[in-house]
Amino acid sequence: MLDQTPTFEEVAAVADGLQNDGKPVTIEAVHDALGTGSPTTIGKHLTAWRAEHAPKPAPLSAEIPEAVATALRTWAQEFAEAAAGARDTAAQSESDIDTLLRTGEELESERDALLARVSSLTTLTEEQAEQIERLTVELRDARQVATDALVGKAKDQLAIDGKDRQLADLRAQLERSVASSSSDADARLAAEMELVGAVTARDNFASELETLRSQLKTANAERSALRAEIDGLRGRRQ
């Protein structure tokens, strides 16, 4: 025979009886008393019955003991002071980081300007070197042309008859050649002086280039130190 499903009132009546008799109110005790019903159904009705018969808790006093209130006030004050200090420290760290970042950006701008300057001086030095090389070649060629001309003229004149007129002409030509050679010598001297000036300018550019490279190295070192300090500050913030 299948168990009949007990109602809440039936379960509640049995529970009241067990409680009045001083017996434990359990699912098994109610089931045994009813002789029917599934544990699930009886358990659901017992939960509702216990909710109705559970003693109501006494109202809690809203008054906080003085010792607890004093401790709470002290804790709140200390917490507020610590929080304010933490906010000040965080704000200062943020300001320091912003300053370091701006300094890093300025150093990077200076580094870029130095790199551009170094690149410009390098290009200028290369152009000066090319100009010096060209002047050296032209001077060497001019000397060779003048020497070849003198030797050729001398050979031509030595082949001429020993006539007085021809000898006079030869002497006149030699005098003109000497005068021309003197003029060529002056021109060569001027070219050599220009070459010396170009070499001096090249040395000056090289010295300035070395100075700029040293400044660039110093700027990179300062930038690395600033980044390390920024990373340290960020690590302390975390």
Side-chain angles (χ1 to χ4, degrees):
M1 182 177 179
L2 296 177
D3 289 343
Q4 294 179 354
T5 301
T7 63
F8 169 76
E9 288 74 11
E10 293 174 339
V11 172
V14 173
D16 289 338
L18 291 172
Q19 187 178 49
N20 293 332
D21 293 340
K23 297 179 180 179
V25 181
T26 64
I27 294 175
E28 291 79 3
V30 172
H31 181 271
D32 292 341
L34 290 173
T36 186
S38 67
T40 301
T41 301
I42 295 174
K44 181 178 66 175
H45 293 326
L46 277 180
T47 300
W49 175 83
R50 289 193 177 97
E52 291 181 355
H53 291 73
K56 295 182 180 181
L60 296 177
S61 174
E63 182 179 357
I64 300 176
E66 183 61 28
V68 176
T70 301
L72 284 175
R73 285 193 295 270
T74 302
W75 174 83
Q77 183 177 359
E78 292 176 352
F79 180 80
E81 292 175 353
R87 285 194 297 270
D88 293 341
T89 301
Q92 184 62 43
S93 298
E94 187 70 25
S95 176
D96 292 342
I97 289 176
D98 292 339
T99 301
L100 291 174
L101 287 174
R102 286 195 301 271
T103 304
E105 291 174 355
E106 292 174 358
L107 286 175
E108 288 181 354
S109 298
E110 293 178 3
R111 181 203 62 184
D112 294 339
L114 287 174
L115 286 174
R117 179 61 176 163
V118 168
S119 177
S120 175
L121 287 176
T122 301
T123 302
L124 185 59
T125 302
E126 292 175 353
E127 292 176 354
Q128 291 291 335
E130 292 175 358
Q131 184 178 5
I132 291 171
E133 181 65 24
R134 185 178 66 256
L135 290 174
T136 302
V137 172
E138 291 177 357
L139 179 60
R140 184 173 62 249
D141 292 342
R143 286 175 177 173
Q144 186 62 42
V145 170
T147 301
D148 293 343
L150 289 174
V151 172
K153 287 182 179 294
K155 288 181 179 180
D156 291 340
Q157 294 301 327
L158 289 175
I160 299 174
D161 295 335
K163 296 179 180 181
D164 292 340
R165 184 177 58 83
Q166 292 174 339
L167 289 175
D169 291 340
L170 178 59
R171 281 195 292 271
Q173 290 178 6
L174 286 175
E175 288 175 357
R176 287 194 298 271
S177 296
V178 170
S180 177
S181 298
S182 177
S183 178
D184 292 341
D186 292 340
R188 288 195 299 272
L189 179 59
E192 289 176 353
M193 292 298 294
E194 184 178 356
L195 177 61
V196 170
V199 171
T200 301
R202 181 193 63 184
D203 294 340
N204 291 336
F205 278 124
S207 177
E208 186 176 356
L209 178 62
E210 184 63 27
T211 300
L212 288 173
R213 284 175 176 167
S214 177
Q215 293 177 358
L216 177 61
K217 182 178 180 181
T218 301
N220 285 333
E222 293 177 353
R223 180 172 173 269
S224 298
L226 284 171
R227 286 191 177 281
E229 187 173 354
I230 290 172
D231 293 339
L233 287 172
R234 286 175 173 168
R236 289 198 297 272
R237 289 183 61 193
Q238 294 175 356

